[in-house]
Amino acid sequence: MSDQAAGLRAWQRQRDRWPLLVLGEPRRGALESLLKSLNARSGRRWEPVTLAEAARAAPGHALLWVESRPVDATLDYRWLKRMAVDVGPLPTLLHLESAAISQSRLDNLSVAARRFLGVELSHDPGRWLAP
């Protein structure tokens, strides 16, 4: 019977994990800090997943790590396009690496993501998690 109990415990641990597709290249410590904050706010245990792992992990939400360098504006859109093609459009939370990122850049990215990819971007974790 211990095999059945071990299997149930493993199933419960897996069930409590929420795969989160991470788009971009955040620093490890910064991503861990953000995940800790998201876990506390949502009551879920988010597990980061890369695009390469996404098909197997079947994430239901994504996080776009927006870097502060201006040349990354097109890179942000490319991350979203790869997600839309490889996984499908997922509700995506924006995480800004710096407060210096222009609002016009974010507005343009949001409009392009919605219009061309069917991806909704959110700054608010509560709205992002809403069904």
Side-chain angles (χ1 to χ4, degrees), residues 95-115:
H95 176 74
L96 309 181
E97 185 178 75
S98 163
I101 296 170
S102 76
Q103 188 60 46
S104 65
R105 173 182 167 188
L106 297 175
D107 292 343
N108 290 340
L109 181 62
S110 292
V111 168
R114 188 180 327 96
R115 181 178 292 163

Side-chain angles (χ1 to χ4, degrees), residues 49-129:
V49 174
T50 65
L51 267 171
E53 302 165 328
R56 184 174 30 88
H61 291 77
L63 168 77
L64 176 62
W65 195 273
V66 179
E67 294 185 19
S68 56
R69 293 174 284 173
V71 296
D72 290 332
T74 56
L75 183 60
D76 298 334
Y77 181 78
R78 277 189 240 137
W79 277 112
L80 293 171
K81 186 173 182 179
R82 286 181 56 203
M83 173 187 71
V85 169
D86 294 354
V87 182
L90 300 176
T92 303
L93 180 66
L94 292 175
H95 176 74
L96 309 181
E97 185 178 75
S98 163
I101 296 170
S102 76
Q103 188 60 46
S104 65
R105 173 182 167 188
L106 297 175
D107 292 343
N108 290 340
L109 181 62
S110 292
V111 168
R114 188 180 327 96
R115 181 178 292 163
F116 301 114
L117 304 174
V119 174
E120 288 296 323
L121 302 179
S122 179
H123 298 281
D124 174 27
R127 199 173 133 242
W128 169 65
L129 290 171

Side-chain angles (χ1 to χ4, degrees), residues 11-30:
W11 174 81
Q12 181 66 36
R13 279 192 305 273
Q14 183 64 32
R15 195 177 71 95
D16 290 341
R17 292 185 193 153
W18 289 77
L20 176 64
L21 177 60
V22 177
L23 305 168
E25 298 174 357
R27 295 177 322 281
R28 187 73 177 150

